[in-house]
Amino acid sequence: TQLLEQSPQFLSIQEGENLTVYCNSSSVFSSLQWYRQEPGEGPVLLVTVVTGGEVKKLKRLTFQFGDARKDSSLHITAAQPGDTGLYLCAGSMIQGAQKLVFGQGTRLTINP
Amino acid sequence: NAGVTQTPKFRILKIGQSMTLQCTQDMNHNYMYWYRQDPGMGLKLIYYSVGAGITDKGEVPNGYNVSRSTTEDFPLRLELAAPSQTSVYFCASGGAYNEQFFGPGTRLTVL
């Protein structure tokens, strides 16, 4: 069983559409991160959220940490083909600890 | 800065062979990690290190060994390769705010 469940696992949409990816758990996390991974490469950090209810924006990407710090979402506005990739959420259960638990990933395809 | 480098990029092993996956970072990070990534399964932590001379098991350590003699290097050893170890292996180093920086990965096939 996954400690962090991501949904959907696969998503294919047209350029210009909006989408939301979810990362859910029954456990509380001290911080949560989102990574993006392109084929043949390692994951690259997009954002870290640490406070319940926190919202961070990165251009067309909006990240939210749930009030109870058990879940997070990634919303992309007006998706572009360059957003295609594997999106991974990862959580740290102990403040200051440097170990992360990863979700299984959401494979996103944006069609021109 | 090269960041995190891994060698080799690809390797095919026969069952029972041994090999070492190399990982080097030039960011002076204390924390280093080894993950494996299987299709649809995200990343699973194999071993990690909080500094030179200190290592600890992660979620899936069986069949692997590590050492950390310097801050920069964190090699992963497979002693008796098995088909279940076919995977993509990522090394990462940890920054000050829990973020991790990943290498490009090693794709290993055991036949």
Side-chain angles (χ1 to χ4, degrees), chain A residues 13-68:
Chain A
I13 63 171
Q14 294 299 119
E15 181 177 1
E17 293 183 357
N18 301 333
L19 67 108
T20 302
V21 175
Y22 299 93
C23 177
N24 295 305
S25 178
S26 58
S27 301
V28 176
F29 291 92
S30 63
S31 66
L32 199 137
Q33 301 174 352
W34 285 91
Y35 291 80
R36 182 173 145 208
Q37 183 179 17
E38 303 203 23
E41 298 180 9
V44 175
L45 179 69
L46 295 174
V47 76
T48 300
V49 286
V50 297
T51 305
E54 182 176 2
V55 177
K56 281 192 174 179
K57 291 195 173 186
L58 186 66
K59 297 184 180 177
R60 294 175 294 98
L61 278 60
T62 302
F63 304 86
Q64 184 160 9
F65 202 12
D67 291 342

Side-chain angles (χ1 to χ4, degrees), chain B residues 34-57:
Chain B
W34 275 105
Y35 294 91
R36 58 178 288 172
Q37 185 175 35
D38 300 320
M41 296 298 291
L43 291 158
K44 300 287 187 185
L45 182 64
I46 304 172
Y47 269 96
Y48 68 102
S49 169
V50 302
I54 307 170
T55 63
D56 205 349
K57 296 177 181 179

Side-chain angles (χ1 to χ4, degrees), chain A residues 33 35 37 45 92 97-98, chain B residues 31 33 37 90 95 98-100:
Chain A
Q33 301 174 352
Y35 291 80
Q37 183 179 17
L45 179 69
S92 175
Q98 294 277 352
Chain B
Y31 292 85
Y33 311 83
Q37 185 175 35
F90 287 100
N98 224 15
E99 73 275 25
Q100 294 189 11

Side-chain angles (χ1 to χ4, degrees), chain A residues 11 13 36-39 76 79-87 106-112:
Chain A
L11 183 59
I13 63 171
R36 182 173 145 208
Q37 183 179 17
E38 303 203 23
I76 301 180
Q80 298 178 0
D83 296 327
T84 293
L86 179 68
Y87 288 81
T106 294
R107 189 164 299 281
L108 175 64
T109 303
I110 310 299
N111 304 299

